[in-house]
Amino acid sequence: MITGASGGLGSALADALAPTHTLFLAGRPSPRLDAVAERLGATTWPVDLADPDSMAAVVEPIVELDVLIHNAGVAYPGRVAESHVDEWRSTMAVNVVGAVALTLELLPALRAARGHVVFINSGAGINASPGLASYTASKFALRGFADSLRADEPTLRVTSVHPGRIATAMQEDLVAYEGRPYEPDRFLSPQTVARLTVDAINAPADAHVHEVIIRPNPAPR
């Protein structure tokens, strides 16, 4: 199951996993999500991360799950003094509480498969990013949840992926906030991050990749 698979890194993850996995693409129904599912022969799964009370009924049919990838997230560019409490609530609701709620509801299915939970975090989950106050806080919290899950569920593999800046629509919004021209070649491609994430998922059974840290290569391409 992949959340946030309608575009960007989420659809790149779906592309990379489609040859070897049966895909559940979780998220709010949308034409973009339907298009990814149709292209890959995947199943869409209606999950609203902002409504944790709805999740139990939605995921109840799933009895075994090999991999859960938390990729969905929101970001509101802004420094601390520019931020609003409503933005903090929304960021935490989707990026943290939604991920926690979905994981808790799927724990029995993950345990049954001795599965793998992957959190697409961020460099902002290791070092604070200027201009991304609420997003940074949410990613630190998500990292803490991943570490706790790993400690408390020894039959599961739990991986936090911390990419640098990726060439996505979210990145374009951030660059616009910074007042700079958007140059995709300066950032990681979604396909690169997806490939390295899948490498962690496909690691041999005796290996447990705790963290993957990826940064753009500054050398000319």
Side-chain angles (χ1 to χ4, degrees):
M1 176 175 282
I2 306 170
T3 67
S6 62
L9 178 56
S11 61
L13 286 164
D15 286 336
L17 287 166
T20 54
H21 291 72
T22 299
L23 299 182
F24 298 157
L25 307 183
R28 292 176 178 173
S30 73
R32 291 178 64 201
L33 189 63
D34 289 343
V36 175
E38 183 176 354
R39 175 167 55 82
L40 297 176
T43 300
T44 58
W45 211 271
V47 173
D48 184 354
L49 293 175
D51 184 12
D53 293 337
S54 69
M55 290 183 189
V58 168
V59 304
E60 191 270 337
I62 301 174
V63 295
E64 282 198 21
L65 187 65
D66 293 309
V67 183
L68 171 61
I69 303 178
H70 291 290
N71 173 69
V74 297
Y76 298 96
R79 296 177 182 271
V80 172
E82 301 168 343
S83 64
H84 302 283
V85 170
D86 287 345
E87 294 172 347
W88 286 79
R89 287 197 184 101
S90 175
T91 303
M92 293 296 175
V94 174
N95 294 5
V96 183
V97 177
V100 170
L102 184 58
T103 302
L104 293 178
E105 294 299 340
L106 288 169
L107 265 181
L110 289 160
R111 288 169 177 157
R114 299 180 68 88
H116 195 159
V117 184
V118 178
F119 295 90
I120 303 298
N121 199 294
S122 169
I126 298 175
N127 297 298
S129 291
L132 283 172
S134 60
Y135 180 79
T136 292
S138 74
K139 292 301 186 178
F140 268 79
L142 192 66
R143 182 185 182 190
F145 175 59
D147 291 347
S148 295
L149 182 66
R150 188 183 303 112
D152 290 344
E153 295 289 333
T155 66
L156 303 183
R157 296 200 289 186
V158 179
T159 302
S160 287
V161 180
H162 295 272
R165 299 175 71 159
I166 309 172
T168 63
M170 183 184 292
Q171 193 65 240
E172 193 167 358
D173 291 342
L174 177 58
V175 171
Y177 164 79
E178 294 169 338
R180 298 187 292 110
Y182 178 62
E183 301 174 62
D185 288 347
R186 295 182 58 237
F187 307 118
L188 290 161
S189 74
Q191 291 74 25
T192 293
V193 178
R195 176 179 173 182
L196 294 171
T197 301
V198 172
D199 285 346
I201 292 170
N202 290 334
D206 62 340
H208 186 167
V209 180
H210 288 199
E211 288 189 340
V212 179
I213 299 176
I214 312 164
R215 295 293 179 267
N217 185 355
R221 299 184 184 183

